[in-house]
Amino acid sequence: MIVLDKLRPLPIPRHCLLYNLGCVPYETAWAWQRSLLAARLAHPDLEDLLILLEHPPVYTLGTGSSLAHLKFQREESNYSLFRTERGGEVTYHCPGQLVGYPILNLQSYRPDLHWYLRQLEAVLIETLAHYGLRGERIPGLTGVWVEGVKVAAIGIKVKRWITIHGFALNVCPDLAGFREIVPCGIGDRPVGSLAQFIPEITVAAVRVQVAQAFGQVFGCQIQPQGGTIPIP
């Protein structure tokens, strides 16, 4: 007869500190991420973080992005343009778009980039499901769509399995800035927002759902933090 060890402790979920911030300049948040990455490269046992925020209007390019996807002259733009170390093509950030920057050590989850991208998509799909929206993936592309409209983009950087950059979910932004680019290099599919389907939706409400979905999908314990991020 096999006797089960009922006293064996269940695995303890990994903690993930949640920082809910307001509208932060892109270059400030980018500097935070690089500092947090450097600290975790030196000390891989540091805690994970999920940073949720918005940005003032700004365009960002992935490390290999083509300038052909810009519909304006860089020197004539009213908004800043940054080339970053993330993957993916050009995108646009502005208020009303919820941006998430997970700083995770994938060695504690699963050291697999494709798995991580699909997990981030799953977080967003779970968030949309809370509002009765069906989030969809498109084979060969990264991101989340609703009824053929792209509502979320993902671009990441991983170094020694520590993640930076992340996802951007269009909740209720002014989408005019997207007309000045070929978003994510995809010219034949429209970009939209959740407000097209749920006019009364707010970023504040969606923040809560994204954090909950993140904890569920990654199997981690979300711990909301007050104040600002302790930058090393």
Side-chain angles (χ1 to χ4, degrees):
M1 180 177 64
I2 299 176
V3 178
L4 297 178
D5 182 2
K6 297 181 179 180
L7 299 179
R8 181 182 302 167
L10 295 175
I12 299 174
R14 188 170 174 84
H15 292 169
C16 183
L17 308 184
L18 171 65
Y19 287 90
N20 261 315
L21 305 179
C23 195
V24 178
Y26 185 83
E27 55 268 43
T28 300
W30 189 17
W32 288 348
Q33 292 180 76
R34 287 179 288 181
S35 179
L36 293 166
L37 170 65
R40 281 151 183 78
L41 291 174
H43 304 284
D45 57 338
L46 287 174
E47 66 279 345
D48 295 330
L49 289 83
L50 172 61
I51 304 169
L52 297 178
L53 45 68
E54 298 169 75
H55 289 308
V58 63
Y59 292 100
T60 70
L61 297 159
T63 184
S65 294
S66 171
L67 295 178
H69 293 144
L70 302 180
K71 298 180 181 179
F72 58 86
Q73 296 298 318
R74 297 178 66 177
E75 60 274 9
E76 298 175 1
S77 175
N78 293 325
Y79 303 133
S80 298
L81 175 69
F82 295 97
R83 184 176 290 278
T84 76
E85 65 273 76
R86 67 165 173 80
E89 290 288 343
V90 63
T91 195
Y92 176 65
H93 300 300
C94 66
Q97 179 193 76
L98 181 61
V99 178
Y101 295 131
I103 314 295
L104 309 181
N105 185 341
L106 291 183
Q107 294 282 16
S108 299
Y109 298 89
R110 182 172 168 180
D112 183 319
L113 296 184
H114 294 288
W115 174 86
Y116 179 56
L117 289 169
R118 303 294 81 80
Q119 290 290 96
L120 293 180
E121 290 171 345
V123 168
L124 299 167
I125 290 170
E126 286 295 317
T127 299
L128 299 183
H130 174 82
Y131 293 98
L133 298 176
R134 182 183 176 188
E136 299 176 330
R137 296 180 172 99
I138 294 180
L141 299 176
T142 298
V144 176
W145 282 257
V146 175
E147 297 183 12
V149 173
K150 189 172 186 179
V151 297
I154 296 172
I156 64 169
K157 167 69 176 179
V158 177
K159 185 171 183 179
R160 283 166 33 197
W161 300 115
I162 308 295
T163 71
I164 57 172
H165 297 287
F167 58 85
L169 176 61
N170 293 337
V171 180
C172 52
D174 179 351
L175 297 171
F178 284 100
R179 294 197 289 268
E180 300 300 317
I181 59 174
V182 180
C184 301
I186 304 171
D188 59 348
R189 297 181 185 274
V191 170
S193 70
L194 304 190
Q196 295 176 227
F197 306 95
I198 306 173
E200 68 278 9
I201 200 165
T202 66
V203 172
V206 174
R207 285 173 180 267
V208 176
Q209 299 306 321
V210 166
Q212 290 181 357
F214 193 91
Q216 292 168 1
V217 169
F218 281 91
C220 59
Q221 188 175 90
I222 299 294
Q223 296 186 329
Q225 305 295 300
T228 58
I229 304 170
I231 303 300

